[in-house]
Amino acid sequence: MLGQASIPLVGVVDAMVIGRTGDAAALAGVALGATVIGLIFWSFGFLRMGMTGLTSQADGAGDRKEVEALLVRGLAIGGAIGVLLLALLWPLRELAFAILAGGEATTAEASGYVTARFFGAPAALCVFAITGWLFGLGRTRAALTLQLVMNAANIVFDVVLVFGFGLGAAGVGAGTAGAEWVALAAGLVLVTGVAGANPHALARRAGRAALFAPAAMRRLFAINRDLMIRTVALLIMFAWFANAGARLGAETLAANHVLLQFVNVAAFILDGFAFTAESRIGQAIGTRSRAQFVRAIRLTGEFSLAAGALMAAAFWLLGEPVIALISTDPAIRASASLFLPFAALVPLIGMPSWLLDGVFIGSTQGRALRNAGVLAAVLYLAADLALRPLGNLGVWLAFSASYLLRAGGLALYFPSLLRSFEQTQAVARPGAIA
């Protein structure tokens, strides 16, 4: 949970640093730019999610060689995709801003932010793979260290580039990109300590044939294909949410972005339980233990519900002071305060969807995740269109409903997932790393 809580602090710091300048257009630009980066970078979030499920299952089965090979594959794929994204910076950026609404000043700020962030793409995607691998092994302290290093670097870079050099939204983007490279360096040190050798040595030890064995690559890409479709569907929902705010003006876009920081904090903290479920459920599948599978769901579900209720209460009571801390603009503060109750409800109504994500990711049930994600996205878009006459109230009503839609779609698949288990004797794990 501590590691997860630190992840959204990157976005919170970005919003706070630019928000304290009092420039509404710059804050709106960071909001729009962050949406673009999220849509593009997290389209490859399977590098984190697929890595966790596959690693935990290999570790549960005692297959040390496959655990090591998964790390090398993830880094190779993440680095290659990151370099490709950087090469495609111009067309991807222009296409994104042709689709997403934004005034001239907002788009100019967002363009600078996005351009700077793309230079961190190779590092960001490799960090996805490292984080997923660490979660799969249950090495949450190492993952926490990685996130804390990234956050510390991001704070320093943002403050220096924005307040020291006056670079505005572009400075925020450059600061975050620089922090991603620092995080990659730290991540390579951490995984070397966990695996007992650096990734290059692991690759040489395994050999090219084992690393890229056809059966292993087919499984990896089959799971990742479904996870990518699911992730893109959910990212479209968030991009649509940001675009809905942009249609209502820069102040509404900025206010919604401020409130989205509450949502991100809730999502990442409660995902700590979901990631625990991923690891434990992957272990249960590796050992074919139905009892372990059910126990992991029960315990993470109980803790998720309690934590969600506490966070909802905290957001409700402390939300307005936090809004004032993030932004100095009176209009942005007033708009964000008006819709704060919706953000405060998200930890409760979003908890089931995040937990079920963990259950199905740990089970490597990509098809169910894909179908539920696409269905939720289609129904969310329909709801938002129907509620447009209500303005920003309709935007938040549809957004809130999207979490219930996501949970409902996965709940339809849960009985068959449970039935797929046969109670067997847990097997030994002679070669497990964790």
Side-chain angles (χ1 to χ4, degrees):
M1 284 183 65
L2 288 173
Q4 283 301 104
S6 70
I7 295 175
L9 290 181
V10 173
V12 172
V13 168
D14 287 351
M16 186 179 297
V17 168
I18 204 68
R20 299 301 298 177
T21 67
D23 189 338
L27 180 55
V30 169
L32 190 60
T35 300
V36 172
I37 290 298
L39 182 61
I40 295 172
F41 284 20
W42 274 102
S43 294
F44 305 98
F46 59 77
L47 287 166
R48 206 292 299 159
M49 294 178 287
M51 185 67 66
T52 299
L54 291 170
T55 301
S56 62
Q57 289 183 22
D59 188 47
D63 191 347
R64 183 187 179 94
K65 290 183 178 179
E66 180 62 13
V67 169
E68 294 175 351
L70 280 164
L71 173 62
V72 178
R73 287 184 203 126
L75 288 171
I77 294 170
I81 294 173
V83 171
L84 180 61
L85 287 178
L86 184 55
L88 296 174
L89 164 60
W90 186 84
L92 289 174
R93 183 189 62 199
E94 298 307 305
L95 177 62
F97 290 124
I99 296 172
L100 297 176
E104 184 177 343
T106 297
T107 301
E109 294 283 354
S111 181
Y113 174 89
V114 168
T115 300
R117 283 294 307 271
F118 260 77
F119 284 90
L125 298 190
C126 285
V127 170
F128 283 179
I130 289 172
T131 303
W133 190 78
L134 290 172
F135 277 133
L137 294 177
R139 304 303 286 259
T140 53
R141 289 184 182 178
L144 169 60
T145 301
L146 177 60
Q147 292 302 328
L148 291 179
V149 168
M150 181 172 177
N151 283 326
N154 186 58
I155 291 170
V156 173
F157 292 157
D158 275 7
V159 170
V160 170
L161 294 174
V162 174
F163 292 120
F165 291 89
L167 296 181
V172 171
T176 304
E180 287 165 338
W181 283 104
V182 171
L184 174 58
L188 292 175
V189 172
L190 289 168
V191 297
T192 297
V194 172
N198 64 54
H200 183 258
L202 294 177
R204 293 183 61 182
R205 186 161 69 196
R208 185 182 181 88
L211 283 176
F212 302 104
M217 294 301 292
R218 279 196 300 271
R219 187 185 182 209
L220 179 65
F221 281 105
I223 293 169
N224 288 346
R225 177 199 62 214
D226 289 334
L227 287 175
M228 184 175 185
I229 294 171
R230 170 260 183 194
T231 301
V232 169
L234 298 185
L235 288 170
I236 287 172
M237 292 166 60
F238 278 92
W240 189 278
F241 171 77
N243 198 48
R247 288 196 316 267
L248 299 173
E251 288 179 353
T252 300
L253 172 60
N256 285 353
H257 184 64
V258 169
L259 292 177
L260 201 58
Q261 305 314 307
F262 290 89
V263 174
N264 288 338
V265 168
F268 279 101
I269 290 179
L270 292 177
D271 262 347
F273 296 114
F275 290 166
T276 301
E278 289 179 30
S279 177
R280 296 296 178 241
I281 284 170
Q283 295 279 350
I285 290 175
T287 60
R288 299 303 304 161
S289 172
R290 186 178 187 274
Q292 185 179 341
F293 175 83
V294 173
R295 185 171 185 270
I297 294 174
R298 181 178 63 80
L299 289 176
T300 53
E302 291 170 353
F303 278 101
S304 292
L305 179 60
L310 287 173
M311 292 188 67
F315 289 173
W316 186 278
L317 295 173
L318 304 175
E320 294 206 18
V322 174
I323 290 169
L325 184 64
I326 293 176
S327 176
T328 60
D329 187 285
I332 294 174
R333 287 181 175 182
S335 181
S337 296
L338 180 62
F339 293 98
L340 175 62
F342 287 98
L345 279 174
V346 167
L348 272 179
I349 62 176
M351 181 278 295
S353 65
W354 297 319
L355 182 62
L356 285 171
D357 278 347
V359 171
F360 281 86
I361 289 170
S363 304
T364 57
Q365 296 292 310
R367 180 172 171 270
L369 287 159
R370 178 198 67 197
N371 293 347
V374 171
L375 177 63
V378 170
L379 294 177
Y380 161 69
L381 296 183
D384 182 81
L385 290 172
L387 294 170
R388 275 192 180 182
L390 298 179
N392 205 34
L393 174 61
V395 171
W396 277 99
L397 285 171
F399 184 70
S400 301
S402 70
Y403 288 99
L404 302 177
L405 294 170
R406 286 170 58 184
L410 288 174
L412 294 176
Y413 286 93
F414 185 77
S416 61
L417 175 62
L418 191 59
R419 286 194 300 269
S420 69
F421 261 90
E422 294 179 1
Q423 185 68 54
T424 60
Q425 184 69 30
V427 299
R429 304 163 56 210
I433 287 180

